[in-house]
Amino acid sequence: MTPADFRIARPDDLCRILDWAAAEGWNPGLDDAPAFHAADPDGVFVAEIAGAPVAAISVVNHCDRLAFLGLYICHPDHRGRGIGFALWTRALEHAGTRTVGLDGVAAQEGNYAKSGFVRLGATRRFEGRPEAAEAADVRPFRPDDQERIEALDTAANGFERPAFLSAWLERTEHRRTLVLHDATGPTGFVTARRCRDGVKLGPIVAPDAEAALVLIRAAAAAMPEAPVIVDLPSANTALSDRLGGLGFVETFATARMYRGAPPKATARLQAIATMELG
């Protein structure tokens, strides 16, 4: 058996990895690759055989307290040989003493538990076609919003992730962020990104479910491709109930698990950014 070599992924590797993810039905965003790399340039790893990548994983260090694991995938031709688990072990070393979070499929929950991960809840994916509606109190993100948006995101998630947000909030051909505001400034936001199928919205940070729906409808107006996909913390039944009333259906769910003390998210976290980066 040819042994695998492990190394940090290069930007060109990420396009290949996200293509693998798309083949597995993960439906990543069209402009996700640069944002993944910017979040932690040393936090995406590949295993390669004879110079060709065969497996990948990300362990992105968002801050001194928390990392998030995702993009754990092995090419089908190389599964069942221990390559993925060896890469998993190597990548987790990158987190050091940080708490590590992940969104894991049910079939792997037991394996993650063996590595010290404990289920805290779930992340539920909803897909639908909301009525598109611009709103007077929603506008495009501006660079001078950055500091306030970072503060809102930190308060909602319970940890800071400045490198990720700097990349995620940047407008590209396939990604844009809208800001909910009042006289005091931004009070919430949503990032919409085109995917291979439809548009994913996340994170959505807002004072309540009604404000989240205002952002969802505004995002649907700004980026009208369908379906619209949102990934909600399982505790957010207020928004999931409202989405169900609008015809959204739950299509997928993962176990939200942590190794170490979990962050203290608040009800303002209406939807997560991605299942790969939290």
Side-chain angles (χ1 to χ4, degrees), residues 31-117:
D31 280 342
D32 278 6
F36 273 76
H37 189 257
D40 181 356
D42 296 331
V44 183
F45 304 85
V46 297
E48 61 182 12
I49 295 176
V54 298
I57 191 171
S58 63
V59 177
V60 170
N61 291 338
H62 283 303
C63 63
D64 291 341
R65 297 180 294 113
L66 189 129
F68 206 88
L69 185 153
L71 283 180
Y72 184 37
I73 189 168
C74 185
H75 192 277
D77 292 345
H78 297 275
R79 292 175 184 170
R81 300 167 55 184
I83 295 172
F85 183 70
L87 183 62
W88 160 284
T89 303
R90 173 74 173 271
L92 277 173
E93 295 174 357
H94 179 65
T97 60
R98 295 171 178 84
T99 290
V100 182
L102 63 80
D103 275 303
V105 296
Q108 294 297 325
E109 188 175 340
N111 288 331
Y112 299 150
K114 293 176 183 177
S115 291
F117 286 84

Side-chain angles (χ1 to χ4, degrees), residues 153-270:
D153 187 78
T154 297
N157 284 285
F159 63 94
E160 57 275 11
R161 46 181 182 175
F164 166 69
L165 280 178
S166 292
W168 206 247
L169 297 174
E170 181 180 354
R171 178 166 177 163
T172 71
E173 179 183 359
H174 300 296
R175 186 176 61 243
R176 64 192 61 182
T177 295
L178 300 177
V179 173
L180 181 71
H181 65 95
D182 61 17
T184 67
T187 60
F189 70 101
V190 58
T191 297
R193 72 194 204 277
R194 289 188 182 93
C195 301
R196 287 156 171 83
D197 179 27
V199 173
K200 284 184 179 177
L201 305 184
I204 303 175
V205 174
D208 50 41
E210 196 61 41
L213 286 176
V214 170
L215 284 167
I216 288 171
R217 292 187 173 109
M223 200 171 281
E225 293 85 346
V228 167
I229 304 160
V230 289
D231 296 331
L232 275 60
S234 56
N236 189 2
T237 56
L239 184 54
S240 64
D241 288 347
R242 292 299 305 273
L243 291 177
L246 297 175
F248 277 69
V249 296
E250 184 174 349
T251 60
F252 186 60
T254 59
R256 173 56 68 96
M257 306 180 76
Y258 289 96
R259 189 184 73 174
K264 296 181 179 179
T266 72
R268 285 180 172 264
L269 179 63
Q270 302 292 334

